[in-house]
C-alpha cells in the first residue's frame, strides 16, 4: 500500500483503494469466500483507510482528486463494517433452469437503512429460487396445472424485497404464468426498478410481471373474487416479528385460490431468534386447512462473514402447502 508519508500520487492511492474493494458474496457456497479474500492482509487495513480519511492530502493538486480519494476510502471502510453498512450494490444471481442451463437475474440493492430489510436479497430467497426449477419439473404433482386450461397460472409473491423469487418464477414459467411481486410501499420502487433491469430476460421468456403494494397487516374491504385469487403464493424469509405469522397467514387466506391445485411455496431461515414465529406459522397454516405436501431443510451461506472472514452457514426450511383433502384427515 502506498504510504502517505511518501506523498504518493492520486493515481497510486486510488489504485490501492480499488484493490481493497470488498465484493459481497453471492450466497453460492462457502467457496465464495475466495472471491472476497484479498491477497492483502486485512489487519491494519481499517487503520490505513482511517489515516487517508483524516489526512488533508495537501500535496495533491485538486480538491476533486482529494474528494475522490476520501470517497473511495470511506466506501472501503463501510464495506468492512458488515453487509448492513455497505453502500448500494448490484449483483447477478445465476438461477438454474435445467441441469445445464441457468439464467442471470440482475438485482439492485440500495444501501440499507434502519427498517428496510427488503432492500437486500436474503439467502433463503436464493435457495428457493434455485429450487423452483425442480418444483417445475415435478409440476404436475407440486404446482397447479391451471395453465393447461387456457389461462396462465396466477402467482403472487409476498414480501418480495428485491424480487429474486418472483423474477425467477416468472423467468421459469414464461408465458405460462403471470407473476405479481408485492411488498411494503417504501420497498416497491426498487422492486419495480429490478423488474426493469431484467426486461430483456423476461421479454425473451414471454413472462408477465407486475408489482404493487401489499401490506399483510391490512385486510381491506370486500374479499377478492375467485378470479382475483392466486394459484400459487411464494414467500421467502417473511417472518421476523411476533405479528408476522398471523399477518402472513391471514394474507394467504385472503389471496389463495380455493382450488385443490392451489399451492403455497415458502422458504425461511431457521434462525434461533425466529423459531417461535416459524412454529406459529406452521400451526396457523394447519388451522386454516393447509397441509404440507413436501418439505425439507438445506444449508445456505449468509452474504456477510464471521469474525474471521469465514462463510456463515444458515439452515433453511422450505415447504410446499396445499388445501387439506378428505384423504389428509
Ligand atoms: C427479510 S426480508 C425478505 C425479502 C425477500 N423475500 C428476500 O428473501 O430477499 C422480509 C420482507 O418482508 C417485507 N415485509 C415485512 N413486513 C411486511 C408487511 N406487513 N407486509 C408486506 N411485506 C412485509 C419486508 O419489507 C421485506 O421485504
Amino acid at each position: 500500500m502506498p504510504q502517505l508519508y511518501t506523498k504518493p500520487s492520486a493515481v497510486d492511492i486510488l489504485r490501492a483503494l480499488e484493490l481493497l474493494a470488498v465484493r459481497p458474496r453471492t450466497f453460492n457456497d462457502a467457496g465464495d469466500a475466495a472471491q472476497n479474500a484479498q491477497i492483502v492482509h486485512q489487519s491494519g487495513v481499517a487503520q490505513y483507510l482511517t489515516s487517508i480519511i483524516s489526512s488533508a492530502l495537501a500535496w495533491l493538486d485538486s480538491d476533486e482528486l482529494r474528494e475522490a480519494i476520501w470517497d473511495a476510502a470511506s466506501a472501503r471502510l463501510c464495506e468492512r463494517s458488515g453487509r448492513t453498512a455497505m453502500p448500494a450494490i448490484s449483483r447477478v444471481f445465476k438461477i438454474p433452469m435445467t441441469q445445464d442451463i441457468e439464467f442471470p437475474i440482475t438485482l439492485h440493492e440500495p444501501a440499507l437503512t434502519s427498517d428496510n430489510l427488503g432492500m437486500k436479497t436474503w439467502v433463503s430467497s436464493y435457495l428457493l429460487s434455485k429450487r423452483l426449477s425442480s418444483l417445475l419439473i415435478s409440476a404436475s404433482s407440486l404446482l397447479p396445472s391451471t395453465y393447461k386450461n387456457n389461462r396462465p397460472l396466477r402467482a403472487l409473491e409476498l414480501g418480495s424485497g428485491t424480487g429474486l423469487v418472483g423474477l425467477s418464477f416468472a423467468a421459469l414459467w414464461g408465458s405460462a404464468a403471470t407473476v405479481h411481486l408485492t411488498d411494503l410501499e417504501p420497498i416497491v420502487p426498487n422492486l419495480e426498478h429490478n423488474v426493469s433491469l431484467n426486461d430483456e430476460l423476461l421479454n425473451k421468456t414471454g413472462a408477465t410481471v407486475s408489482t404493487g403494494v401489499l401490506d399483510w397487516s391490512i385486510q381491506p374491504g370486500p374479499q377478492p373474487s375467485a378470479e382475483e385469487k392466486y394459484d400459487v403464493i411464494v414467500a421467502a424469509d417473511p417472518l421476523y416479528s411476533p405479528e408476522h405469522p398471523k399477518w402472513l397467514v391471514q394474507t394467504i387466506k385472503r389471496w389463495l385460490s380455493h382450488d385443490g391445485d392451489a399451492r403455497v411455496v415458502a422458504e425461511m431461515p431457521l434462525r434461533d431468534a425466529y423459531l417461535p414465529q416459524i412454529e406459529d406459522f406452521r400451526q396457523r397454516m394447519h388451522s386454516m386447512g393447509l397441509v404440507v405436501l413436501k418439505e425439507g431443510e438445506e444449508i445456505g451461506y449468509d452474504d456477510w462473514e464471521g469474525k474471521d472472514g469465514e462463510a456463515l452457514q444458515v439452515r433453511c426450511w422450505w415447504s410446499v402447502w396445499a388445501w387439506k383433502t378428505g384423504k389428509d384427515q
Side-chain angles (χ1 to χ4, degrees):
M1 293 293 113
Q3 297 304 308
L4 297 189
Y5 69 84
T6 65
K7 301 189 178 169
S9 70
V11 171
D12 284 349
I13 305 176
L14 286 168
R15 195 179 294 139
L17 290 173
E18 187 53 36
L19 277 178
L20 292 174
V22 177
R23 318 258 174 249
R25 292 170 188 281
T26 50
F27 303 120
N28 291 0
D29 53 43
D32 257 15
Q35 175 190 331
N36 273 5
Q38 312 285 331
I39 304 148
V40 177
H41 287 289
Q42 295 297 325
S43 59
V45 171
Q47 202 180 355
Y48 178 66
L49 294 171
T50 314
S51 72
I52 294 178
I53 293 165
S54 56
S55 164
L57 304 175
W59 65 93
L60 298 179
D61 292 340
S62 75
D63 282 345
E64 270 163 21
L65 284 175
R66 280 186 276 275
E67 292 288 348
I69 291 171
W70 288 324
D71 284 353
S74 308
R76 297 299 88 86
L77 206 54
C78 288
E79 289 160 5
R80 284 167 173 75
S81 309
R83 173 62 186 87
T84 47
M86 273 210 175
I89 52 171
S90 291
R91 7 186 198 173
V92 177
F93 294 88
K94 296 202 173 123
I95 305 299
M97 189 165 213
T98 62
Q99 232 170 10
D100 312 315
I101 304 173
E102 48 187 21
F103 54 80
I105 301 269
T106 308
L107 298 179
H108 179 69
E109 303 183 8
L112 296 187
T113 55
S114 57
D115 197 23
N116 55 8
L117 299 186
M119 297 298 196
K120 161 181 158 31
T121 309
W122 296 83
V123 59
S124 56
S125 71
Y126 175 64
L127 296 177
L128 182 54
S129 299
K130 289 206 303 180
R131 182 164 293 283
L132 287 177
S133 64
S134 61
L135 295 180
L136 184 71
I137 289 163
S138 50
S140 54
S141 59
L142 282 180
L143 289 173
S145 50
T146 43
Y147 70 101
K148 291 180 196 147
N149 303 331
N150 289 333
R151 80 162 170 81
L153 180 115
R154 283 171 51 77
L156 168 69
E157 183 179 16
L158 298 175
S160 300
T162 56
L164 183 58
V165 174
L167 285 168
S168 301
F169 193 105
L172 275 165
W173 280 73
S175 58
T178 64
V179 187
H180 189 46
L181 279 58
T182 65
D183 209 301
L184 295 171
E185 197 177 350
I187 307 298
V188 171
N190 186 58
L191 189 55
E192 261 168 31
H193 176 62
N194 282 344
V195 173
S196 69
L197 288 179
N198 293 282
D199 263 354
E200 201 180 320
L201 172 70
L202 297 172
N203 285 339
K204 214 164 17 178
T205 60
T208 305
V209 177
S210 56
T211 58
V213 175
L214 199 164
D215 182 340
W216 320 324
S217 67
I218 300 170
Q219 297 297 307
Q223 283 292 315
S225 66
E227 292 73 40
E228 287 170 318
K229 295 195 177 202
Y230 292 89
D231 307 305
V232 181
I233 295 184
V234 291
D237 202 350
L239 306 176
Y240 52 93
S241 94
E243 298 83 20
H244 279 157
K246 177 174 164 218
W247 290 349
L248 191 71
V249 174
Q250 77 187 10
T251 306
I252 291 171
K253 183 175 183 187
R254 178 179 177 86
W255 288 106
L256 185 66
S257 153
H258 283 284
D259 197 285
D261 277 339
R263 297 289 183 269
V264 177
V265 183
E267 177 135 7
M268 38 200 94
L270 295 168
R271 300 187 199 280
D272 286 349
Y274 301 128
L275 293 180
Q277 272 92 314
I278 292 182
E279 191 44 39
D280 191 9
F281 169 77
R282 258 184 189 280
Q283 283 179 10
R284 287 176 186 276
M285 292 285 276
H286 279 298
S287 312
M288 193 170 78
L290 288 161
V291 286
V292 172
L293 278 189
K294 212 168 172 164
E295 64 184 319
E297 289 185 14
E298 57 190 330
I299 298 285
Y301 295 88
D302 264 331
D303 59 353
W304 57 83
E305 296 165 353
K307 275 202 295 296
D308 304 318
E310 80 282 15
L312 289 179
Q313 280 197 353
V314 189
R315 208 158 47 93
C316 295
W317 169 60
W318 62 269
S319 54
V320 180
W321 300 74
W323 293 112
K324 203 182 305 184
T325 60
K327 62 181 182 334
D328 300 314
Q329 284 156 20

